[in-house]
Amino acid sequence: MTAMLASEEHQHNRAEQLKQLRKQMAAVSGKVGSPRRGHAHVDDLLPESEARLPVPQLLAAVLPDALPRGAVAVLTGARSLSLSMVAAVTAAGGNVAIVGQPDVGLLAATEMGADLSRLAVIPDPGTDPVEVAAVLMDGMDLIVLALGGRSVPMTRARAVVARAQQKGCTLLVTDGDWQGASIRLKARVSGYETTSDEPGFGRINKVRLEVCAAGRAIRRARAG
C-alpha cells in the first residue's frame, strides 16, 4: 500500500510539473511584436529561412547552410557558443528554452543581443530532462538541453528526434551525449578582447572561439 501511494504521489507531482512547464512555454511562445535586435549584433546573424535557424556569424564557416530545424546537435567545450545561439535565435524573433543549466549566464546572453522575453529557463528539470525538453518542443524553435553527464541511447533518442522534426524544433545538447546526433560541435576559447589596450587590464567584452563541426548533416550539405 505504501509503495502504491508513493507511486501515485510521484505521478501527481510529475503531472503538476509538466502542467507548469506547459504554462511557461505558452507564456513565452505567446509573445508577439517585432523582434528586438539588441546592441550591435544584427550584422552577426545569418539570414533566416523557414527550414533553418539563424546562427551567429562564427558558425558560418563550419555550418554550410545554417542550422536545420528539427536537428539534434551535441556541443562540447565552451558554453558561450550555446549562449550565442540563444542570442541569435531570440534576436531574430524565435523562442528558446534552456533546460538543466541553473548557472546559465543570462547577463552574458543579453550582452550578445538575446531577447530574454523570448527565453524560458528550466533550471531543475528533475530526473528526466529529456522528457521536459520533449514537452517544450511544442512552442520552441531551439532548446538547449544540459544532460548532467547522461548519455541518451538510440532507443530513446529516436522518439524525441521524431518529435523535434515534427515540431520544427532544434535541440542543442550540452554536458552529455546523444547517440545518433546529426551534428557535433566543438568550441574552445582562443582569446579575449578587453576594453583596455594594456595587457592584463580592462573588462572582457568579447570571447574569441574556435569552432569545428562534424556529422552526417554536415556531410550531406557539403555533398549537395
Side-chain angles (χ1 to χ4, degrees):
M1 177 65 74
T2 302
M4 184 179 296
L5 290 175
S7 176
E8 290 175 352
E9 181 179 1
H10 173 76
Q11 292 176 3
H12 174 74
N13 291 339
R14 193 63 181 162
E16 284 298 312
Q17 183 185 22
L18 294 177
K19 182 179 178 181
Q20 292 303 316
L21 285 174
R22 289 189 176 96
K23 285 183 178 179
Q24 185 172 3
M25 176 188 67
V28 174
S29 60
K31 300 288 184 182
V32 295
S34 59
R36 185 183 66 187
R37 294 292 181 176
H39 302 284
H41 293 273
V42 182
D43 293 338
D44 292 339
L45 303 184
L46 296 177
E48 185 178 14
S49 69
E50 292 184 1
R52 306 280 167 169
L53 284 180
V55 298
Q57 188 63 41
L58 63 90
L59 281 179
V62 296
L63 291 179
D65 194 18
L67 193 62
R69 291 183 182 273
V72 177
V74 174
L75 169 64
T76 56
R79 187 183 289 185
S80 54
L81 180 59
S82 64
L83 288 180
S84 68
M85 286 291 303
V86 169
V89 174
T90 58
N95 299 316
V96 177
I98 300 177
V99 179
Q101 289 188 13
D103 59 343
V104 62
L106 294 182
L107 177 59
T110 302
E111 291 175 344
M112 293 177 185
D115 182 349
L116 297 188
S117 71
R118 295 184 175 274
L119 177 64
V121 179
I122 315 297
D124 182 11
T127 59
D128 195 349
V130 176
E131 180 183 1
V132 172
V135 170
L136 290 172
M137 284 177 181
D138 259 333
M140 298 295 157
D141 299 285
L142 172 70
I143 295 177
V144 180
L145 172 63
L147 289 176
R150 299 174 179 87
S151 177
V152 178
M154 188 70 75
T155 51
R156 178 79 187 280
R158 285 195 187 98
V160 181
V161 169
R163 180 171 173 79
Q165 292 173 344
Q166 179 189 20
K167 301 298 181 181
C169 177
T170 298
L171 189 63
L172 182 63
V173 175
T174 67
D175 191 25
D177 190 35
W178 187 283
Q179 294 183 18
S182 58
I183 300 173
R184 293 186 178 271
L185 302 169
K186 292 183 180 180
R188 74 176 188 88
V189 176
S190 60
Y192 300 92
E193 295 180 11
T194 66
T195 55
S196 173
D197 294 332
E198 186 177 353
F201 294 90
R203 178 178 180 272
I204 295 175
N205 61 5
K206 189 173 184 180
V207 178
R208 292 194 298 271
L209 297 178
E210 288 185 4
V211 183
C212 61
R216 62 182 183 276
I218 306 296
R219 293 192 295 271
R220 281 199 302 266
R222 287 174 179 165

